[in-house]
Amino acid sequence: MSAAGARAEVVTPAPVGFDVARLRHEFPILRSHVNGHPLVYLDNAATAQKPRSVVEAEADFTLLGNANVHRGVHTLSQRATQAYDDARATLARFINAPDPAELIFTAGTTASLNLVAQSHGRTVLTPGDEILLTEMEHHSNIVPWQLLAGQVGAVVRAIPVTDAGALDLAAAARLIGPRTRIVAVAHVSNVLGTVNPVAELAGLAHAAGAVVVVDGAQAVPHLPVDVQALGADFYVASGHKMYGPTGVGFLWGRRALLEAMPPWLGGGGMIQQVSFDGTTYAPVPARFEAGTPPISQAIGMAAAARWLQALPWAEVEAHERDLLDYATALVSRVPGVRVVGTAPGKVSVLSFVLDGIHPHDVGTVLDTRGVAVRASHHCAQPLMRRLKTPGTVRASFAVYNTRAEAEALAEGLHEVRKVFG
Ligand code: PLP
């Protein structure tokens, strides 16, 4: 897997403080081969691999504890309900939410953002009100607000991004005004790795009477998150990006805001009384969990949170920073590479373009060498427009990646250069 030899001058030992090799044993997929090469998985921002403990938590529940929640008097159903409620409490602790009842299980970040838009947004917005986003948002944090704006006659605006890929806070201060009702921002950009100044933005937004919605999809795998310290009003994330299952995520919201929100999806589990004369609704969180929820997935997501919390965080952060710095240095030596996103303090997401070569071609050649990266607009077309490129190549590093894998990426890029000139 190592590129040692041809470019030995760049191969230096990693200052790793914890045992990455041991950690990798928890991820059998990392021992697999793709196209005859050891897999080098650098597409973690799209979805992270899952450790055994997550898969086993889900499998144990499914094989030995499976029952529906909330509706049963029988023992198995009560156990399932307990496990599901415990998962909620674990995730609430994971983001330092004051009360587990404020955490709603959803199908993921996208579902959570649509829920906030259609329930909170639709209730509080009036024609002419403003929804403020940023130029670096994922489509999941743009389109739901555009749909809402179309429904209520609101206006969507965006805080600009600097050439380095940071948020222009001075512009944010100018854009937040008396008509701003919602400020929706990524905690971490999926393209640039930029960590946005959420607490500062929240200060500005609250002073103007707006609420702050934070898209934490890319933050939860990299940073300890404290929704209270951030001053967020809503915080959302997906299980599969934090080493957990697909099909599950959460919405955390301040209790007073959640309690003022009408249901969005109707069905079983979210009611108090149903009659043809009128229906009353359950309190939060059940009010927003219509139908059978993703039970085993929620249990798996909680296992992922426990797995993350058990890691030595100072060492994890040092390791990921080292991987990012090392990979950035190696990749920057490839002729014609331009790194996109150089904001200080960014997480281990490395986006770049190769002069004269389409990102898809780069990704395809890397794949022949077993190196999995993403090559696309990354569901961030407004940001691509800002960066004046149709797409980038993105190598996103997780806690289990190694310097040898960064070297394999750089070697692959030298090969791309040879193939395309
Ligand atoms: N927000 C950000 C910043 C993301 O990176 C992604 C996925 O890539 C999403 C939202 C959407 O997440 P999901 O597809 O899990 O709903």
Side-chain angles (χ1 to χ4, degrees), residues 45-46 108-111 113 138 140 186 188-190 215 217-218 238 240-241:
T109 301
T110 304
L113 290 166
H138 188 282
S140 291
V188 168
S189 158
N190 65 314
D215 171 355
Q218 297 294 341
S238 296
H240 68 104
K241 296 195 197 278

Side-chain angles (χ1 to χ4, degrees), residues 390-408:
T392 72
V393 182
R394 181 186 69 188
S396 48
F397 293 84
V399 61
Y400 43 64
N401 286 123
T402 64
R403 279 187 164 209
E405 291 179 315
E407 290 159 13

